[in-house]
């Protein structure tokens, strides 16, 4: 899962410009800000951070989201595309874990002008419904990435749909 995530976000990094501001928050074993407000054009620094990522311990998705919302607020760009991209296998096993509680938390946070899109990675213990619930209630999109080809589609051909909101609170 992590190898595919790193490859996917490396591909996304190639699409960034000097107008983008990127932060990376991890929530595997502990919550931490790994990259704080880096220019999108600083590809080398972003890739170094991505390549250092590791997975270990429990997964407190709510704590990671809380930290991500704080960082998004810190770097908020008025009139900009302020978005959190949550990458997970959906096995949020510490903190808020129920779909209903996550839905309530994300619904409360979406009023802050920060959108939440979700990328699902993995198989086996993958929690598809949890990821869809988070995306739907964060006014974002949800994609399941099972190959680098799908990542290239999401961060290439579908990039505008992935990152830019054209309508709020629309569910199909």
């Amino acid at each position: 899962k992590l190898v595919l995530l790193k490859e996917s976000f490396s591909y996304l990094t190639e699409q960034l410009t000097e107008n983008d501001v990127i932060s990376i928050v991890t929530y595997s074993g502990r919550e931490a800000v790994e990259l704080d407000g880096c220019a999108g054009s600083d590809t080398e620094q972003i890739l170094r951070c991505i390549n250092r990522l590791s997975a270990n311990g429990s997964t407190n998705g709510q704590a990671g989201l809380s930290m991500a919302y704080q960082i998004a607020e810190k770097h908020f760009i008025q009139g900009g595309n302020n978005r959190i991209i949550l990458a997970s296998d959906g096995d949020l096993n510490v903190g808020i874990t129920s779909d209903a509680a996550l839905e309530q938390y994300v619904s409360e946070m979406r009023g802050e002008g920060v959108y939440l899109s979700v990328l699902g990675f993995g198989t086996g213990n993958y929690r598809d419904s949890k990821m869809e619930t988070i995306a739907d209630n964060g006014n974002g999109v949800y994609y399941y990435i099972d190959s680098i080809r799908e990542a290239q589609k999401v961060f290439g051909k579908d990039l505008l749909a992935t990152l830019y909101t054209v309508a709020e609170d629309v569910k199909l």
Side-chain angles (χ1 to χ4, degrees):
K1 299 176 209 179
L2 188 58
V3 171
L4 179 57
L5 180 140
K6 288 179 180 185
E7 288 179 42
S8 300
F9 277 94
S10 295
Y11 185 76
L12 172 61
T13 301
E14 296 171 15
Q15 316 306 314
L16 301 175
T17 71
E18 68 277 354
N19 296 324
D20 299 309
V21 178
I22 306 301
S23 298
I24 297 175
V25 174
T26 58
Y27 56 98
S28 177
R30 66 180 179 81
E31 300 75 49
V33 177
E34 303 294 339
L35 189 63
D36 191 356
C38 180
S41 58
D42 193 349
T43 304
E44 192 173 304
Q45 183 177 357
I46 298 168
L47 290 175
R48 264 196 317 269
C49 183
I50 290 170
N51 289 324
R52 283 194 314 259
L53 296 176
S54 62
N56 56 352
S58 59
T59 307
N60 190 336
Q62 185 270 328
L65 277 172
S66 178
M67 189 173 284
Y69 276 112
Q70 289 172 17
I71 296 298
E73 183 179 314
K74 176 181 173 182
H75 297 288
F76 191 85
I77 299 170
Q78 194 65 36
N81 180 14
N82 298 281
R83 178 170 309 275
I84 294 169
I85 299 175
L86 172 68
S88 178
D89 63 4
D91 190 22
L92 310 178
N93 53 21
V94 176
I96 296 175
T97 58
S98 77
D99 289 4
L102 282 166
E103 177 179 339
Q104 180 179 350
Y105 175 75
V106 171
S107 293
E108 290 169 5
M109 298 306 293
R110 77 173 173 214
E112 304 299 316
V114 176
Y115 297 92
L116 174 61
S117 293
V118 179
L119 303 178
F121 288 84
T123 58
N125 65 341
Y126 185 71
R127 305 289 188 254
D128 192 57
S129 67
K130 191 176 299 288
M131 297 292 88
E132 285 190 53
T133 296
I134 292 170
D136 286 349
N137 291 282
N139 277 342
V141 295
Y142 167 70
Y143 289 100
Y144 174 66
I145 297 181
D146 60 353
S147 68
I148 193 61
R149 186 176 181 176
E150 183 66 17
Q152 290 170 337
K153 178 180 173 275
V154 169
F155 291 133
K157 179 179 157 235
D158 293 348
L159 184 64
L160 292 178
T162 303
L163 298 181
Y164 291 94
T165 302
V166 295
E168 291 188 7
D169 205 25
V170 175
K171 312 289 185 277
L172 294 175

